[in-house]
Amino acid sequence: MGALTATEQSAVERAAAESMLGRVEAWAVVNSGSRNLDGLANVAGMIADAFAALPGALALVDPAPVDAVDAAGRKVSIEHGRNLHLTVRPQAPVQLLFTGHMDTVFGVDHPFQALTWLDDGVLNGPGVADMKGGIAVLLAALKAVEASELASGIGYEVVINSDEEVGSAGSAALIAAAARGKKAALTYEPSALPDGTLAGARPGSGNFSFTVHGRSAHAGRNPEDGRNALIAAADLALRLQKAKGYGLSINPAKIDGGSPNNVVPDLAILRVNLRPATAEDETRAKSLIDGIVATVAAEHDVTIDTHGGFGRPPKPMTPEAEALFKLVRAAGADLGQTIGWQATGGVCDGNNIAACGVPVVDTMGVRGGKIHSMEEYLIASSLAERGALSALTILRLAGASA
Ligand SMILES: [Zn+2]
């Protein structure tokens, strides 16, 4: 233990003593796959009940409308769950943002639904690390902060969204609005490594659907009158694949559409994920897409509609972000925890918060691992450890000069 003030000491002890494990167990047995609206509503209610222990105005906010292109090339609207939004002391001198997500990657039909205790206090279960454990850590830290004499100087917003695992399209505007004017943000994704290492820089990510409209014709009688949309989509995929390189990964992932064997296909939809390392790479990717789409459309005499965008902007390590990481590292050191960070290829809501100009540490949640698999686990003792780390970090953010 390093140099903690008496105020810090009592907040740290209070956070660590919160009953986090019971909450994680109760929340994790309710399926909240991103597309399971009933399960999400159920979990949202449970989390809202728990967060009602905090002061401020709490609401479950409707998602923004989101559309997508279906396998038949039609624009369809996508339903999302409601998002929890809490505002506490908006007039306080220090304003912070805390975010998490209640959805998981495991749908209601997925075989992974139950909790299993493994050896040595390791809990296996859907969302225990990513990130119902993190939400429990956040609540414990905020309850401890509220009990502190410093609370009156700290205002904050909490957003717990329901669509993070599918890109946060329905909640991005809510998060961006909540980020406005904040000194710093903490997001409760699990640590990047089981030892507690935080995620530093992240690339951006964009998902695109390219709908190719050609012209159908008989495959034997008059194929020359056809314009083969499938071939054009395949050409588009190959050209995009060849354009990837340093600072930009490109993954053509799927082609929908096509036709029976005796018909020249007039429709194909190509799905592609692109990950630019920096804002400049994102700009480069956009003009690359425009150029390749125009070339393929002209050469194959087809029309191509582009749908989608870079929903996750790149998150570089800025000086402001580095200062926040160092504050967390120092808090960890004073608690006897060794905290480091490293760049990662994954993306999360931290990308969008950073794009608002707010420094963010987005892996303040539990220690665990194997997330997005049936082997996902939570190291149960990390709940108290990370609760203490967050409580101390928040108090020090309030005390540190702006
Ligand atoms: Zn997550």
Side-chain angles (χ1 to χ4, degrees):
M1 288 279 189
L4 263 60
T5 66
T7 303
E8 290 174 344
Q9 185 66 40
S10 75
V12 159
E13 283 170 14
R14 194 180 276 266
E18 270 287 321
S19 54
M20 290 172 261
L21 184 59
R23 291 199 181 104
V24 178
E25 291 174 310
W27 296 340
V29 292
V30 180
N31 178 279
S32 60
S34 309
R35 302 295 179 212
N36 178 9
L37 299 186
D38 289 343
L40 285 165
N42 198 345
V43 166
M46 295 169 83
I47 294 174
D49 285 347
F51 276 72
L54 300 170
L58 189 146
L60 291 173
V61 182
D62 284 336
V66 177
D67 61 32
V69 177
D70 72 6
R74 293 172 303 222
K75 210 175 253 192
V76 291
S77 65
I78 304 282
E79 301 292 324
H80 290 110
R82 292 197 292 172
N83 305 298
L84 182 147
H85 183 209
L86 171 69
T87 306
V88 178
R89 290 183 295 275
Q91 311 303 333
V94 174
Q95 291 293 321
L96 303 171
L97 171 65
F98 306 106
T99 78
H101 64 82
M102 65 181 92
D103 62 323
T104 74
V105 298
F106 307 106
V108 69
D109 299 326
H110 195 283
F112 190 36
Q113 303 289 346
L115 302 176
T116 309
W117 279 100
L118 308 176
D119 298 341
D120 298 330
V122 176
L123 181 62
N124 162 246
V128 289
D130 182 18
M131 63 154 50
K132 287 165 180 171
I135 296 170
V137 166
L138 169 61
L139 178 59
L142 290 178
K143 285 173 88 169
V145 167
E146 288 299 335
S148 160
E149 64 210 35
L150 300 177
S152 61
I154 308 171
Y156 54 90
E157 289 182 58
V158 176
V159 176
I160 299 177
N161 58 355
S162 64
D163 62 347
E164 195 277 342
E165 299 290 7
V166 288
S168 302
S171 57
L174 175 64
I175 291 173
R180 205 171 299 137
K182 297 299 186 287
K183 178 181 182 180
L186 301 175
T187 296
Y188 286 79
E189 295 288 351
S191 59
L193 294 178
D195 69 2
T197 298
L198 306 170
R202 295 178 181 273
S205 178
N207 290 309
F208 291 83
S209 294
F210 301 99
T211 304
V212 183
H213 291 283
R215 192 188 310 145
S216 58
H218 193 287
R221 283 177 181 236
N222 61 336
E224 64 282 359
D225 291 337
R227 297 293 180 266
N228 193 315
L230 185 78
I231 294 298
D235 190 14
L236 189 58
L238 285 168
R239 288 174 192 251
L240 285 168
Q241 174 77 6
K242 280 187 191 139
K244 74 179 180 185
Y246 184 77
L248 180 63
S249 55
I250 303 180
N251 184 46
K254 188 178 191 187
I255 296 180
D256 288 309
S259 66
N261 269 2
N262 58 353
V263 177
V264 175
D266 66 349
L267 177 72
I269 303 106
L270 170 68
R271 322 281 186 176
V272 183
N273 176 254
L274 295 92
R275 291 181 186 238
T278 65
E280 295 73 49
D281 294 320
E282 182 183 310
T283 304
R284 183 163 61 89
K286 283 176 183 161
S287 57
L288 203 113
I289 289 171
D290 290 346
I292 292 177
V293 163
T295 302
V296 171
E299 287 192 10
H300 294 262
D301 191 18
V302 296
T303 61
I304 302 177
D305 295 326
T306 302
H307 182 277
F310 288 93
R312 301 288 196 203
K315 184 193 144 207
M317 182 59 81
T318 61
E320 294 77 16
E322 196 169 344
L324 180 60
F325 276 88
K326 285 178 175 167
L327 187 147
V328 175
R329 182 173 65 188
D334 286 347
L335 294 170
Q337 303 175 20
T338 305
I339 307 282
W341 55 88
Q342 65 179 33
T344 165
V347 295
C348 74
D349 285 326
N351 288 72
N352 302 67
I353 295 166
C356 297
V358 177
V360 54
V361 172
D362 56 29
T363 37
M364 291 296 287
V366 298
R367 291 192 294 115
K370 303 265 179 82
I371 62 169
H372 296 197
S373 86
M374 288 183 62
E375 289 157 84
E376 175 175 359
Y377 66 91
L378 155 70
I379 299 168
S381 61
S382 74
L383 289 164
E385 180 190 311
R386 303 290 271 201
L389 178 67
S390 260
L392 185 55
T393 298
I394 294 165
L395 291 185
R396 290 196 174 167
L397 272 170
S401 52

